[in-house]
Amino acid sequence: MRVLTCLTEDHNLLLVALAAVICVVGSVVLNRLFDKNRRSSAKARLPWLFLGAMAGGATIWCTHFVAMLAYRPGVEVAYAPVLTGLSLLVAMFACALAIGVGSLRGRYAAASGGVLFGLGVTAMHYTGMSAFTAEALVIWHPAYVVASIVAAVVGGAAAFHIATDDRRWMRPVVAPLLLVLTIVALHFTGMGALTVLPLAPSADATLLTEAEALLAASVAAIGFLILGTAVASYALEAQTERQSQDRLSGLIEGSVDGMVVVADGKVRLANHAFTELCGVQEGQTVDTDIGEWIEDVASLQPGLLMQSRVRARDGAPVPVEIAVREEMAGANTTPVQIFAVRDLRSRIAQERRIAHLARNDSLTGLPNRTSFLEKLERLAATDSGFALLAIDLDRFKEVNDLYGHAVGDRLLLHVADHMKAATREGEFVARLGGDEFVALIPIRERMDAHAAAERLRQAILTPLEAEHAELQCGASVGIALWPDDATEASVLINDADLAMYRAKSSLTTDICFYEGAMDEAVRHRRRITLGLRDALENDRFELHYQLQASVETGDVTGFEALLRWKQADGTYISPADFIPLAEETGLILPIGEWVLRQACSEAASWDRPHRIAVNLSPVQLSHVDLPRLVHQILIETGLSPNRLELEITETAMISDMERTTHILRQLKLLGVSVAMDDFGTGYSSLSTLRAFPFDKIKLDRTFMSELDGGPQSKAIIRAVLALGESLDIPILAEGVETQEQLVFLREQGCDEVQGYLLGRPSRDAARDMGALTAETHVA
């Protein structure tokens, strides 16, 4: 009642209301500044500590001084200016000390700061009361003084403790209210402890003078100015933080990766990509522990890219890649951690697909060549026997040509599925490419391999319903056994391939075992083919020249260029062995070009302008660029076109008579001579002669070798010579080896001859031609 009486009877209520407004506003500001300082880093606390000290000190002092101006004890009072100013400094210092201690980390730091705040309010109040002077006797009541101190200490501790509570309504509402109650309780309880006995009562002492009113207004204005400055600083800082937060939010929302801002282990900000990873709505991750969402978050190290998993609420954990960065954002007490979280599901799926494609065929899903070779090496390292099956589809090209590659792919997939279904435990089937498959079969006996091959062949024969038809492939299977047929993996593969090619060319069986003697011919052909490529690349071919002479005069009329392939040991491989292979593999085109260019070049360097004859393969003759090539070589070598004679066989013309005659006419227009070689061995010699006007006919050597066999061969030769005479086409007889043959040909009117009788083909035959005549050689 004493305190209440002091408030209602001894104070001007208008000024008390003004002091209350100052106290409330200042307490709110002080609470905000204390919270800002508490959350600031050590480097950023000093400005907020200064503002808090000024705002808190001004609040306490202005509240006290305005309330003292409202106090009317019945006598005229005055205030010592030094002590009054000192009380303001005491209030500011006490607030600075309270805020500094209360912002420290520790369980009792906030309460300790509150105790210091209460003691500071007490010190300011009683320092200010020491500046109180009046013509009266002043009596203090110790019990009220103690009560005021206790109220200030308890209230301050409670207010600072509540100010650290993060609950939504406790810190911004209850804490300022407790600060107000602390200041008010201290002041009015302290005023209740004071009894003033006037020595000379004044009638006007209870009235508020204009000077006092002006002073109260000035004090209030200064207090509000200080508080306004603090509020403005706080507002500017808050605005800056909001702008920074907005920029950060825009930045992380624009990222396709999950972005999370974490402070003190709590999620402060998370973008849509992260919440989607977690399987929750936006905002549900805010203010939660980051460990709730990311596994082993403590093991993540800043600056390192590490893998972890996100605990999704709506499904299995999501594999992610996380990069953590620590930054000092704003004035936060601890470094802010920024988590960049990348979803690895698509990348892991892609890596699995790439790994699968690296070892499996992309169309059929069967193991590919890499997997097959690895499996073969593993089996070869064991002591167990097994069979390698080389499988090639028959009639697959027909399906591709007739129905297109899409249907061909469907057929391959169909075949692969049925082969997989027919495969038993321990067996391995792979696709090497195109229509080539292989199988590795563990066996105990030879017939086990045949049974497995027949089982897979029957699976391949299963028809496919497509394009309103039943599409079906056959299969040729070659079998090589380990270790019976080979003790090296590469040799075993080659053996199985050889057996497969033999099965493919066979009319009676689709499955063949490797047999060294039978498959050696194929191996030899392969070696010849490889050797041809090497000889062409390294210029290991030679041209030998065989002399051609006039039967009547014996003079040299020309030379035929013959291709020779010399081996490293000095021996030669017969053209009959490698020319057919060159035609099959397409190598005849570059080889034929080399022969034509080399022959023309060497002929252009001869002393005498004799004719050079070059054979053309049917493959060359069917090529549309042949006339252009001949023209280009003649220009490059400088050889006159009338010195070049191109020899073709009638077999080459029969395949496409119209096309061939068109090309031959183009060659004739260049000035080149065209001779029919090996006349008499074809199927339609007379029709061929009628189709194109040849410049020469070369009688095949077989007629010369059979000349002594009876009158029939002589009759045929006479008929050919008579045909040539009637058509006005010169005849050259090949294979002349005896004097009797030469005499017979001279008697029958043959124009030219060539053969061993005139000299064997050699590299130097053309160089020595000045001394050569048919008569000399005959002699």
Side-chain angles (χ1 to χ4, degrees):
M1 292 301 296
R2 183 181 180 87
V3 173
L4 183 59
T5 300
C6 175
L7 174 62
T8 57
E9 296 182 1
D10 298 340
H11 285 77
N12 184 300
L13 295 181
L14 182 60
L15 293 182
V16 169
L18 178 59
V21 171
I22 295 173
C23 186
V24 170
V25 174
S27 297
V28 172
V29 174
L30 177 60
N31 180 64
R32 291 291 182 90
L33 294 176
F34 170 66
D35 182 67
K36 193 70 176 177
N37 185 80
R38 185 175 65 88
R39 295 180 181 275
S40 300
S41 63
K43 294 181 179 179
R45 284 183 179 178
L46 188 59
W48 297 113
L49 184 66
F50 175 75
L51 285 176
M54 288 192 62
T59 298
I60 299 169
W61 186 82
C62 289
T63 299
H64 167 78
F65 198 76
V66 172
M68 287 302 297
L69 290 176
Y71 181 56
R72 318 307 299 169
V75 294
E76 292 184 3
V77 298
Y79 299 95
V82 176
L83 290 176
T84 302
L86 181 61
S87 65
L88 175 59
L89 295 178
V90 169
M92 289 183 177
F93 177 77
C95 285
L97 190 60
I99 293 173
V101 173
S103 299
L104 297 176
R105 291 186 175 274
R107 184 175 181 182
Y108 302 106
S112 299
V115 170
L116 291 174
F117 178 78
L119 294 175
V121 173
T122 302
M124 186 282 308
H125 176 79
Y126 287 107
T127 301
M129 289 304 296
S130 300
F132 178 81
T133 58
E135 293 292 330
L137 180 63
V138 179
I139 301 173
W140 292 93
H141 298 278
Y144 284 93
V145 173
V146 173
S148 67
I149 296 173
V150 172
V153 171
V154 173
F160 271 61
H161 178 71
I162 295 298
T164 61
D165 195 323
D166 288 333
R167 281 179 288 183
R168 186 166 297 179
W169 58 276
M170 292 290 284
R171 177 165 48 84
V173 177
V174 178
L177 181 60
L178 288 175
L179 287 175
V180 171
L181 293 177
T182 298
I183 297 171
V184 170
L186 179 282
H187 179 80
F188 288 104
T189 303
M191 295 303 294
L194 179 65
T195 299
V196 179
L197 299 177
L199 298 179
S202 173
D204 299 328
T206 59
L207 300 176
L208 184 63
T209 65
E210 291 182 3
E212 289 175 334
L214 182 59
L215 180 60
S218 301
V219 170
I222 293 173
F224 282 123
L225 179 62
I226 295 174
L227 293 175
T229 302
V231 170
S233 300
Y234 180 86
L236 288 174
E237 175 66 16
Q239 182 181 8
T240 302
E241 285 192 357
R242 281 196 302 273
Q243 291 175 348
S244 177
Q245 187 84 351
D246 291 341
R247 285 195 297 270
L248 182 59
S249 298
L251 178 63
I252 68 172
E253 281 298 338
S255 174
V256 295
D257 294 330
M259 300 292 291
V260 190
V261 178
V262 177
D264 295 325
K266 300 290 184 181
V267 176
R268 302 302 178 190
L269 192 63
N271 66 353
H272 176 73
F274 182 75
T275 56
E276 190 174 24
L277 277 177
C278 297
V280 297
Q281 298 294 325
E282 291 189 29
Q284 291 186 5
T285 58
V286 177
D287 293 332
T288 60
D289 192 340
I290 186 63
E292 294 182 18
W293 309 105
I294 299 178
E295 294 182 357
D296 301 326
V297 68
S299 63
L300 300 178
Q301 301 179 22
L304 297 180
L305 195 62
M306 306 181 72
Q307 292 189 1
S308 183
R309 296 196 299 177
V310 167
R311 298 186 177 99
R313 292 282 172 85
D314 57 351
V318 179
V320 294
E321 192 174 58
I322 301 179
V324 183
R325 205 169 100 190
E326 288 189 350
E327 287 190 356
M328 301 299 295
N332 291 350
T333 56
T334 56
V336 169
Q337 292 181 316
I338 301 177
F339 287 70
V341 184
R342 176 166 296 173
D343 188 354
L344 293 181
R345 286 176 295 188
S346 60
R347 192 173 85 183
I348 291 175
Q350 188 70 13
E351 288 174 352
R352 288 174 180 169
R353 174 171 172 77
I354 292 172
H356 181 269
L357 291 177
R359 303 182 60 82
N360 294 84
D361 178 54
S362 59
L363 175 63
T364 64
L366 289 174
N368 61 9
R369 183 182 297 273
T370 301
S371 298
F372 160 67
L373 293 176
E374 292 178 358
K375 179 71 173 180
L376 180 60
E377 291 293 339
R378 289 197 299 270
L379 285 177
T382 65
D383 296 329
S384 58
F386 62 90
L388 170 60
L389 278 57
I391 305 170
D392 190 83
L393 301 184
D394 298 331
R395 302 184 301 278
F396 175 73
K397 186 177 184 302
E398 299 174 7
V399 175
N400 257 348
D401 294 342
L402 186 59
Y403 297 100
H405 289 283
V407 176
D409 288 346
R410 286 180 57 191
L411 182 58
L412 283 176
L413 189 59
H414 171 79
V415 167
D417 290 341
H418 281 78
M419 288 181 69
K420 282 189 286 188
T423 302
R424 296 178 180 176
E425 183 179 357
E427 298 178 349
F428 179 89
V429 176
R431 181 190 179 207
L432 300 186
D435 57 354
E436 297 181 30
F437 296 82
V438 290
L440 294 171
I441 310 295
I443 60 170
R444 295 181 180 178
E445 299 180 359
R446 182 183 180 90
M447 294 313 297
D448 294 341
H450 190 278
E454 181 61 28
R455 172 164 34 90
L456 292 175
R457 194 181 73 85
Q458 290 298 325
I460 293 171
L461 290 174
T462 306
L464 168 69
E465 295 287 341
E467 300 296 323
H468 308 291
E470 279 193 356
L471 305 182
Q472 186 183 44
C473 277
S476 299
V477 184
I479 304 174
L481 304 179
W482 179 278
D484 297 345
D485 296 329
T487 55
E488 294 183 13
S490 59
V491 176
L492 187 71
I493 295 172
N494 192 36
D495 291 346
D497 280 342
L498 293 175
M500 183 269 291
Y501 286 122
R502 185 156 47 85
K504 205 168 185 66
S505 60
S506 174
L507 299 177
T508 59
T509 181
D510 295 315
I511 301 175
C512 288
F513 283 88
Y514 170 75
E515 298 179 15
M518 297 182 66
D519 294 321
E520 184 58 36
V522 178
R523 198 188 304 274
H524 176 71
R525 288 167 61 88
R526 289 185 176 181
R527 285 197 293 265
I528 293 293
T529 302
L530 292 176
L532 282 174
R533 297 182 189 276
D534 180 72
L536 186 61
E537 292 175 0
N538 296 287
D539 197 21
R540 291 175 181 164
F541 290 116
E542 295 179 358
L543 285 185
H544 289 198
Y545 298 94
Q546 188 171 33
L547 182 144
Q548 298 174 340
S550 169
V551 175
E552 183 177 354
T553 64
D555 293 335
V556 175
T557 58
F559 292 88
E560 181 180 2
L562 303 175
L563 180 63
R564 295 294 183 262
W565 181 14
K566 189 175 183 179
Q567 303 300 296
D569 58 0
T571 61
Y572 289 90
I573 296 180
S574 171
D577 292 334
F578 68 82
I579 291 297
L581 279 178
E583 291 179 335
E584 290 177 14
T585 58
L587 290 173
I588 193 63
L589 291 176
I591 292 176
E593 181 179 345
W594 181 88
V595 170
L596 185 61
R597 178 174 278 105
Q598 188 72 14
C600 291
S601 177
E602 292 185 5
S605 66
W606 294 345
D607 294 334
R608 296 187 181 184
H610 288 293
R611 183 180 60 249
I612 180 70
V614 179
N615 289 278
L616 291 182
S617 164
V619 179
Q620 290 176 277
L621 191 59
S622 65
H623 206 278
V624 294
D625 284 343
L626 179 62
R628 182 193 59 79
L629 176 64
V630 173
H631 186 228
Q632 179 182 351
I633 290 176
L634 290 174
I635 294 175
E636 289 178 1
T637 60
L639 183 72
S640 175
N642 57 15
R643 292 182 59 193
L644 177 62
E645 181 177 273
L646 299 177
E647 298 181 0
I648 67 168
T649 62
E650 57 182 331
T651 306
M653 295 191 65
I654 292 172
S655 60
D656 191 342
M657 182 71 74
E658 183 177 355
R659 179 191 185 95
T660 305
T661 53
H662 176 69
I663 292 176
L664 292 178
R665 287 191 182 98
Q666 289 180 303
L667 292 173
K668 289 275 287 184
L669 291 174
L670 295 175
V672 175
S673 302
V674 179
M676 176 180 283
D677 195 14
D678 299 337
F679 184 79
T681 60
Y683 299 99
S684 54
S685 300
L686 294 179
S687 63
T688 305
L689 290 176
R690 186 179 60 183
F692 183 79
F694 289 92
D695 297 295
K696 183 184 291 184
I697 294 175
K698 298 187 70 174
L699 189 63
D700 188 68
R701 69 182 64 251
T702 57
F703 293 104
M704 292 296 102
S705 62
E706 296 174 358
L707 187 61
D708 298 330
Q712 294 178 346
S713 297
K714 293 182 180 180
I716 294 174
I717 293 175
R718 291 191 188 100
V720 172
L721 293 174
L723 178 64
E725 184 179 1
S726 63
L727 295 175
D728 197 21
I729 301 177
I731 306 295
L732 185 149
E734 296 180 300
V736 179
E737 298 181 358
T738 65
Q739 179 67 28
E740 290 76 12
Q741 294 173 346
L742 179 62
V743 171
F744 174 78
L745 292 173
R746 182 182 293 116
E747 292 174 351
Q748 301 302 322
C750 182
D751 299 288
E752 297 180 49
V753 293
Q754 75 177 64
Y756 289 167
L757 179 65
L758 307 182
R760 290 183 174 273
S762 68
R763 290 177 58 84
D764 301 325
R767 295 178 183 176
D768 300 333
M769 60 187 172
L772 295 177
T773 65
E775 292 295 340
T776 344
H777 281 82
V778 170

